[in-house]
C-alpha cells in the first residue's frame, strides 16, 4: 500500500471513530507504520473528525519529526509499543467512555483489568494490564507501555484510557472496538451475577486463535 493510500486510510478510520463517539475534541491519537519503517500519526491537538492527510505527522522510530504538523507528545508511547511488538502495524489510543471509566476504577487487577466475559475479548486482546498513573507526556509512560507491550497487544493507562495495537491500523481499530464493548458489558453486568469464561475455555481460545486476528 502506498504512503498516500495509508494517509487516506488513517484519515478515514479516524473520522469513522469520531462519528461513532470513540473520540471527541482533540482527545486520543492514532498511528500506523509506513513501508519505510517510519510512522504516520495524528498531530497534536487535532480532532479525529477533520484530519488533513497531507498534514499528518511523520516521525522516525527515534521520535524525530520528519514532516507534517507537530506530533502529539504521546507519540513516544506509540513508538515504545512498536518497538516491543515488531509485527504491529497500527496503534489506537482513545479516551473512549467505558474504557476511560474503567481506568478510574479502584482495585483493578493490574495483570488484567477485564474478566474474560466473551470469547471475542480473549481472541482479539487476551489480557489488559494496567499502567499505573503517570502524567501525560512523561517519558516514563512510554517506558511502562513498552515494558508491558512485549507480552500484551493492549494496555490500560490508569485514569487515562487504552493503548491498543493491531497488525495494521484497521485491525487495531477492531481490537479497540471489541475492548470498548467489553468494558461496556462489564459495567452493564456489575449488578448481576456474572458468568465468565473458565480457565480451560480461555486456554482453548488462546491455542486456536493466537496470532490469527
Amino acid at each position: 500500500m502506498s504512503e498516500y493510500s495509508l494517509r487516506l486510510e488513517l484519515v478515514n478510520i479516524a473520522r469513522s471513530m469520531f462519528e461513532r463517539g470513540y473520540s471527541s475534541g482533540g482527545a486520543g491519537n492514532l498511528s500506523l507504520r509506513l513501508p519505510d519503517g517510519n510512522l504516520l500519526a495524528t498531530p497534536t491537538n487535532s480532532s479525529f473528525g477533520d484530519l488533513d492527510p497531507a498534514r499528518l505527522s511523520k516521525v522516525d522510530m527515534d521520535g524525530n519529526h520528519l514532516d507534517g504538523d507537530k506530533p502529539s507528545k504521546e507519540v513516544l508511547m506509540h513508538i515504545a509499543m512498536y518497538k516491543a511488538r515488531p509485527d504491529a502495524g497500527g496503534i489506537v489510543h482513545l479516551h473512549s467512555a467505558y474504557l476511560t471509566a474503567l481506568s478510574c476504577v479502584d482495585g483493578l487487577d493490574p495483570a488484567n483489568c477485564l474478566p474474560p466475559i466473551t470469547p471475542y475479548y480473549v481472541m482479539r486482546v487476551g489480557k489488559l494490564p494496567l499502567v499505573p498513573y503517570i502524567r501525560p507526556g512523561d517519558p516514563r509512560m512510554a517506558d511502562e507501555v513498552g515494558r508491558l507491550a512485549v507480552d500484551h497487544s493492549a494496555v490500560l493507562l490508569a485514569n487515562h484510557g487504552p493503548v491498543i495495537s493491531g497488525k495494521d491500523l484497521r485491525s487495531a481499530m477492531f481490537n479497540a472496538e471489541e475492548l470498548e464493548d467489553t468494558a461496556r458489558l462489564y459495567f452493564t453486568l456489575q449488578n448481576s451475577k456474572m458468568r465468565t469464561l473458565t480457565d480451560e475455555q480461555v486456554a482453548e481460545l488462546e491455542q486456536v486463535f493466537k496470532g490469527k486476528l
Side-chain angles (χ1 to χ4, degrees):
M1 199 178 238
S2 69
E3 180 175 323
Y4 178 72
S5 298
L6 289 168
R7 285 175 178 270
L8 292 180
E9 180 180 59
L10 190 153
V11 168
N12 289 335
I13 285 174
R15 184 183 301 114
S16 171
M17 299 194 86
F18 176 83
E19 290 174 348
R20 290 179 293 129
Y22 286 91
S23 173
S24 59
N29 30 79
L30 308 178
S31 69
L32 59 79
R33 199 194 299 261
L34 291 167
D36 63 7
N38 293 317
L39 305 178
L40 276 182
T42 50
T44 187
N45 201 32
S46 60
S47 168
F48 280 17
D50 60 0
L51 294 171
D52 180 345
R55 296 179 61 180
L56 296 174
S57 303
K58 184 190 286 190
V59 300
D60 66 19
M61 288 295 285
D62 293 318
N64 297 309
H65 183 200
L66 304 177
D67 191 24
D69 289 349
K70 181 181 177 181
S72 165
K73 62 183 176 295
E74 293 181 330
V75 75
L76 294 178
M77 69 182 180
H78 289 243
I79 291 170
M81 183 168 270
Y82 284 117
K83 287 182 176 179
R85 304 190 68 78
D87 293 337
I91 291 173
V92 173
H93 167 51
L94 299 172
H95 299 171
S96 50
Y98 287 98
L99 283 167
T100 303
L102 180 70
S103 78
C104 300
V105 171
D106 194 22
L108 293 173
D109 178 358
N112 191 13
C113 298
L114 281 170
I117 299 172
T118 71
Y120 306 100
Y121 164 57
V122 176
M123 290 154 57
R124 284 208 164 270
V125 179
K127 294 181 179 179
L128 182 67
L130 183 70
V131 175
Y133 177 77
I134 300 171
R135 171 184 56 80
D138 187 318
R140 293 178 301 157
M141 185 183 292
D143 294 340
E144 286 298 306
V145 169
R147 180 180 65 82
L148 290 170
V150 171
D151 298 311
H152 301 281
S153 62
V155 301
L156 188 65
L157 311 177
N159 300 85
H160 190 156
V163 186
I164 307 127
S165 67
K167 62 184 179 181
D168 51 35
L169 186 55
R170 184 177 174 85
S171 294
M173 175 184 70
F174 288 165
N175 295 344
E177 291 169 344
E178 189 63 51
L179 200 52
E180 177 73 1
D181 283 348
T182 305
R184 177 171 55 84
L185 289 170
Y186 172 79
F187 284 110
T188 301
L189 292 167
Q190 266 194 322
N191 295 323
S192 303
K193 187 175 180 181
M194 191 185 306
R195 183 180 65 250
T196 63
L197 302 183
T198 65
D199 291 344
E200 292 76 14
Q201 290 166 337
V202 169
E204 180 186 20
L205 289 166
E206 291 174 341
Q207 180 179 15
V208 173
F209 292 100
K210 186 175 182 180
K212 294 184 179 180
L213 295 178

